[in-house]
Amino acid sequence: MKQMSLPLQKLKSETELILEVKNLTKHFPITKGFLGRQVGVVHAVENVSFNISKGETLGLVGESGCGKSTTGRMILRLIEPTSGDINFCGKRINNLRSEEMRRLRKEMQIVFQDPMASLNPRMTVGDLIAEPMQIHGIDKGTPKEQIVKKLLEAVGLRPNHIYSFPRELSGGQRQRIGIARALSVKPKLIVADEPVSALDVSIRSQIINLLEDLQQEFDLTYLFIAHDMSVVKHISDRVGVMYLGKLVELAPKSLLFARPQHPYTQALLSAIPIPSPGAKKDHIILEGDVPNPINPPSGCRFHTRCCYVMDRCRQEEPELREREGSHFAACHLD
């Protein structure tokens, strides 16, 4: 298996790194029959490498099924990686035992896509937010109700929501509860797994603005996973683009949106609507379907849909290499 070098941004010091991911890979086995004989493998994530520094938001974007959510869950070890390294605050966490990992979980939290599915419908809002604090022994000696009400105010809800049940709240309010629940254990890193895709358009901007405000207030670092490029553009400092389990481009937001280097990124950006009725824009239409991750194409995985495809693309896998300052792309085109 080919190993990729880690694309690092220019940092003032190594101590600023919160997360370092090196050659992260996840293969899901396909089994058949009574004995569970393995007949194939789903190549969900393949040799993904990136880092996130303190206070930064890295946006991870791509089509559904490209492996971005799997990547986020592997970082938290909700899914065990097949191979690769995960370093959190300078410590390799791949081989941590369950008790060590449990203690570490308060430092790294997740906000799920569907707030209703992630909240226990039998628990009140107060109990939902207080539960992680009780598990990890946070703020012992301080009345939990007082802490919960402060967290509710921080996410834009009224203190009396403490007695409500999730079914009594709107989708946007439930997502705010999920954010407050993640904040309750004072994490350093939050993986936001498509936190606004299940919400009404009118609510999305409120949640995005809330996440930005909380980042400043609580000194948070985000891995923000989404498929909407306009949302990623608003909240991210850097953006990573994934296609069929591979990281194909990684760059500061300003560079990626101004000068995208990979044809897939160019196609994604061309699909962003222009908020002007009379404006015209050339859309790049990708032909064909996304290849099967059970049997991904040889060479560049995007070559089956790329309008610039060359013979080299079909045979040789491109490396994620630096084009200009901290701008990395995996493409044979210069």
Side-chain angles (χ1 to χ4, degrees), residues 55-325:
E56 184 187 21
T57 298
L58 175 66
L60 201 58
V61 67
E63 294 172 286
S64 296
C66 70
K68 54 189 186 295
S69 291
T70 301
T71 299
R73 295 182 185 220
M74 278 195 289
I75 288 169
L76 301 176
R77 284 192 56 196
L78 299 177
I79 297 175
E80 292 297 331
T82 301
S83 63
D85 290 329
I86 306 165
N87 296 307
F88 179 72
C89 293
K91 182 178 182 180
R92 188 174 185 270
I93 68 171
N94 296 60
N95 299 324
L96 291 184
R97 290 174 293 188
S98 57
E99 180 58 28
E100 293 176 297
M101 196 65 214
R102 190 190 71 82
R103 290 196 298 267
L104 185 65
R105 289 201 185 281
K106 66 178 182 293
E107 306 285 345
M108 40 201 319
Q109 290 289 300
I110 185 169
V111 176
F112 292 98
Q113 176 179 354
D114 185 354
M116 192 58 187
S118 63
L119 300 176
N120 188 333
R122 298 185 179 183
M123 296 175 68
T124 64
V125 166
D127 291 337
L128 285 166
I129 297 175
E131 184 184 35
M133 292 187 287
Q134 293 167 352
I135 291 172
H136 292 286
I138 304 295
D139 289 323
K140 289 183 178 180
T142 305
K144 290 295 185 291
E145 184 173 325
Q146 179 182 337
I147 300 173
V148 170
K149 286 183 177 180
K150 286 183 178 179
L151 285 168
L152 287 173
E153 291 176 351
V155 298
L157 294 175
R158 297 189 303 273
N160 62 359
H161 277 118
I162 194 172
Y163 307 111
S164 302
F165 287 89
R167 64 177 178 274
E168 299 171 330
L169 305 176
S170 67
Q173 289 173 325
R174 287 195 288 263
Q175 193 59 287
R176 290 173 189 266
I177 298 303
I179 295 169
R181 181 176 166 90
L183 290 175
S184 66
V185 291
K186 303 178 181 178
K188 294 178 180 178
L189 172 71
I190 290 182
V191 175
D193 187 7
E194 306 224 33
V196 298
S197 62
L199 304 178
D200 293 338
V201 175
S202 59
I203 306 298
R204 291 181 185 180
S205 60
Q206 297 178 21
I207 299 299
I208 293 297
N209 290 334
L210 171 64
L211 288 170
E212 289 184 316
D213 293 340
L214 293 173
Q215 184 173 33
Q216 298 299 319
E217 183 177 353
F218 292 92
D219 195 21
L220 299 170
T221 302
Y222 291 144
L223 173 61
F224 189 91
I225 297 168
H227 61 265
D228 189 330
M229 290 294 283
S230 58
V231 171
V232 169
K233 183 180 181 180
H234 183 81
I235 195 172
S236 301
D237 299 303
R238 287 187 302 140
V239 179
V241 181
M242 290 189 68
Y243 180 80
L244 201 64
K246 301 284 291 187
L247 191 64
V248 298
E249 191 159 359
L250 177 65
K253 173 178 64 177
S254 57
L255 285 177
L256 185 131
F257 280 84
R259 295 187 296 279
Q261 299 293 311
H262 198 280
Y264 178 61
T265 308
Q266 294 168 8
L268 291 180
L269 293 179
S270 75
I272 298 177
I274 300 176
S276 176
K280 293 184 178 180
K281 188 175 183 180
D282 293 330
H283 293 280
I284 300 174
I285 307 299
L286 296 179
E287 307 225 344
D289 297 323
V290 178
N292 192 332
I294 298 174
N295 186 27
S298 60
C300 175
R301 295 192 177 190
F302 187 63
H303 83 256
T304 59
R305 306 173 74 192
C306 182
C307 60
Y308 305 110
V309 63
M310 305 175 288
D311 288 340
R312 183 185 181 188
C313 303
R314 298 184 179 94
Q315 300 167 7
E316 181 183 340
E317 181 182 350
E319 291 188 9
L320 191 66
R321 58 185 177 88
E322 190 170 9
R323 301 299 184 89
E324 52 183 314

